[in-house]
Amino acid sequence: MSKLIRSYINGQFVDSDKRFANTCPVDGTLVADVCEASRADVDNAVAAARAALSGPWGKISIAERAEWLYRLAAGIEKRFEDFVEAEVRDTGRPVKQARTLDVPRGIANFRFFADLIKTANTECFETTTADGARAINYTLRKPLGVVAAISPWNLPILLFSWKVAPALAMGNTVVAKPSEETPSSAALLAEVAHEIGLPAGVFNVVHGFGGNSTGEFMTRNPDIDAVTFTGESGTGSTIMKAVADGMKEVSFELGGKNAAIVFADADFEAAVSGVVRSSFTNSGQVCLCSERVYVHRSIFDRFVAAMKEKTEALVLGDPMDPATDIGPQISLEHQGKVLSYLQLAREEGATVITGGEKPHFGDARDNGSWVRPTIWTGLPANARCLREEVFGPVCHITPFDDEEEVVALANDCDYGLAASIWTQDVTRAHRVAGRMHTGIVWINTWFMRDLRTPFGGVRMSGIGREGGRHSMDFYSEITNICVKVA
Ligand code: NAD
């Protein structure tokens, strides 16, 4: 009998008649049946979250709240291998990635925000007006209230906890929905919350789809106070419309079509390895992945050849094998989308340097949703494959001649999440970094995160920043208090 995943509402695991299948993208086998939360379930979760705000949760000290976050972190740590298995089964990601990135970051997110709230300060100003009156102005952070958190499938526990942890840290209550593709790790987090005795209603998990299902029921519920969402830009736009009348606060982490720029003076080996990593980590399913690579013409041919060699050495295989580098795409539907871009690239005139097809294993994996890592060259700047987010294991390499040209090419994009720059010229590195229209720029590295720093994008890549005090700002209502000093 397969596993049953239920929603977690007001401290209870809640069944539902309406269920959907959660399958493993490695070979299409069933992982679990998942209960789809109805509108009534979502309304109950929001009502429980609202009620919990005026229960003990609303009265505890910052230090006590931090303790709850430490307990959640310890609870994940205690069931580390369960979380690893959940991530690997739901996504087919290599186990080495789940062990070193996804689950450790899930733990770190709770510890980090617990540490942060214990040491955070707020602003204070001494004020003098023209008539000689004096005042002290200080800032108070209060919870927003009930936060609806909606997350995607590509980094399930990492992104789910990146929302839940700061929301709870700031004293909110949460109704959270993981992607329908990856319900398992969120379901485990609900079990952890239950095991440690987190007060009922503080953290609720509802499972289901987006439009006309659980996600939309959340965003259309008038009693939520804010929506934190990570996912596609188009979904962000739909959610924005859903919450517009109620004027809810939103934090949106959306899509990307990120550029990597390699100058002629880059450390060649480091740049090749770095760009292979930034293009194909998690099978290209990271919002930060570089789908557009710009390489100085003087090293272009050598760079393309070296990328091809390194990419072809990546191991596509059993995710539980520690040697595996590349897993499948998240679903057959997503594989279909990526394959349609592989076809489109040919029609748009691309040269396929490597990949460009799905692999054939001759075993059960042929029922899975695999795509070979693909490198293209030769597309014109206006090709759809160079402008639209594919979100798969693909990158296009374009030659450039000078800095002005590459800055213009990199910025000619509807998205603006992240850029990476590879050069040993320190002055150029800072100069070009400052000219990128993106929320994040990495120099001689990629996806290196310090949780204190702002994370987010410009243009179609999002609204707002999360991370460190930026998360504290979003997840709290900031009140200015002005005290006249006699
Ligand atoms: P998606 O937008 O399809 O779904 C994300 C979540 O939103 C899911 O839980 C889904 O059920 C829910 N949803 C869908 N429609 C909804 C609606 N109408 N109302 C409420 N909820 C709805 O995205 P995805 O395919 O799961 O994730 C991939 C996308 O996420 C890519 O575009 C990627 O770039 C982006 N992403 C961005 C970041 C970032 O930090 N900027 C991080 C990871 C992923």
Side-chain angles (χ1 to χ4, degrees), residues 168-185:
L168 294 180
M170 300 316 295
N172 300 286
T173 56
V174 176
V175 178
K177 189 188 92 61
S179 167
E180 56 274 27
E181 302 286 357
T182 53
S184 301
S185 54

Side-chain angles (χ1 to χ4, degrees), residues 49-94:
R50 173 71 51 204
L53 284 168
S54 36
W57 181 254
K59 299 178 183 68
I60 60 175
S61 67
I62 287 174
E64 285 172 299
R65 245 192 269 140
E67 280 309 315
W68 280 114
L69 268 75
Y70 290 131
R71 278 179 217 135
L72 284 164
I76 302 174
E77 208 158 39
K78 202 167 128 202
R79 299 185 63 180
F80 191 91
E81 285 306 320
D82 293 344
F83 277 87
V84 167
E85 194 196 325
E87 295 286 79
V88 172
R89 294 272 286 153
D90 278 6
T91 65
R93 70 194 45 221

Side-chain angles (χ1 to χ4, degrees), residues 80-81 83-107 153-159 182 276-289 314-315 317-330 391 446-447:
F80 191 91
E81 285 306 320
F83 277 87
V84 167
E85 194 196 325
E87 295 286 79
V88 172
R89 294 272 286 153
D90 278 6
T91 65
R93 70 194 45 221
V95 69
K96 69 181 171 195
Q97 182 192 315
R99 285 215 174 99
T100 56
L101 172 69
D102 301 277
V103 182
R105 251 302 288 280
I107 297 166
W153 47 258
N154 65 317
L155 296 165
I157 192 64
L158 188 158
L159 291 171
T182 53
V276 168
R277 188 174 154 254
S278 70
S279 300
F280 302 124
T281 292
N282 206 35
S283 306
Q285 303 166 119
V286 180
C287 52
L288 307 163
C289 275
L314 294 172
V315 179
D318 175 0
M320 291 311 286
D321 182 343
T324 293
D325 299 304
I326 300 280
Q329 300 297 286
I330 187 65
F391 212 56
W446 174 78
F447 200 0

Side-chain angles (χ1 to χ4, degrees), residues 429-483:
H430 291 290
R431 187 171 62 228
V432 175
R435 295 181 69 193
M436 291 293 101
H437 294 323
T438 57
I440 304 153
V441 182
W442 279 291
I443 296 171
N444 296 328
T445 187
W446 174 78
F447 200 0
M448 187 172 176
R449 289 281 300 130
D450 179 327
L451 303 186
R452 294 168 295 187
T453 61
F455 184 93
V458 305
R459 298 176 172 167
M460 296 289 280
S461 290
I463 295 178
R465 296 290 181 276
E466 296 192 8
R469 72 173 176 80
H470 308 279
S471 293
M472 295 179 66
D473 285 347
F474 174 72
Y475 290 104
S476 57
E477 205 61 81
I478 295 171
T479 306
N480 167 234
I481 298 180
C482 178
V483 188

Side-chain angles (χ1 to χ4, degrees), residues 2-157:
S2 76
K3 221 177 127 187
L4 180 66
I5 290 180
R6 294 172 296 171
S7 293
Y8 182 63
I9 299 170
N10 201 18
Q12 311 272 331
F13 291 94
V14 176
D15 220 320
S16 158
D17 291 340
K18 220 170 158 190
R19 293 177 184 176
F20 61 94
N22 171 28
T23 54
C24 176
V26 174
D27 53 11
T29 50
L30 185 70
V31 175
D33 285 315
V34 188
C35 296
E36 182 180 346
S38 63
R39 191 188 293 274
D41 292 331
V42 171
D43 291 351
N44 287 341
V46 174
R50 173 71 51 204
L53 284 168
S54 36
W57 181 254
K59 299 178 183 68
I60 60 175
S61 67
I62 287 174
E64 285 172 299
R65 245 192 269 140
E67 280 309 315
W68 280 114
L69 268 75
Y70 290 131
R71 278 179 217 135
L72 284 164
I76 302 174
E77 208 158 39
K78 202 167 128 202
R79 299 185 63 180
F80 191 91
E81 285 306 320
D82 293 344
F83 277 87
V84 167
E85 194 196 325
E87 295 286 79
V88 172
R89 294 272 286 153
D90 278 6
T91 65
R93 70 194 45 221
V95 69
K96 69 181 171 195
Q97 182 192 315
R99 285 215 174 99
T100 56
L101 172 69
D102 301 277
V103 182
R105 251 302 288 280
I107 297 166
N109 286 340
F110 285 102
R111 295 225 164 102
F112 169 76
F113 283 107
D115 290 343
L116 191 66
I117 55 170
K118 288 201 305 184
T119 53
N121 63 338
T122 55
E123 302 160 301
C124 181
F125 302 97
E126 283 185 41
T127 310
T128 314
T129 56
D131 62 0
R134 289 178 55 230
I136 302 289
N137 274 283
Y138 67 94
T139 302
L140 204 60
R141 290 180 199 273
K142 294 180 283 191
L144 282 170
V146 178
V147 174
I150 302 177
S151 59
W153 47 258
N154 65 317
L155 296 165
I157 192 64

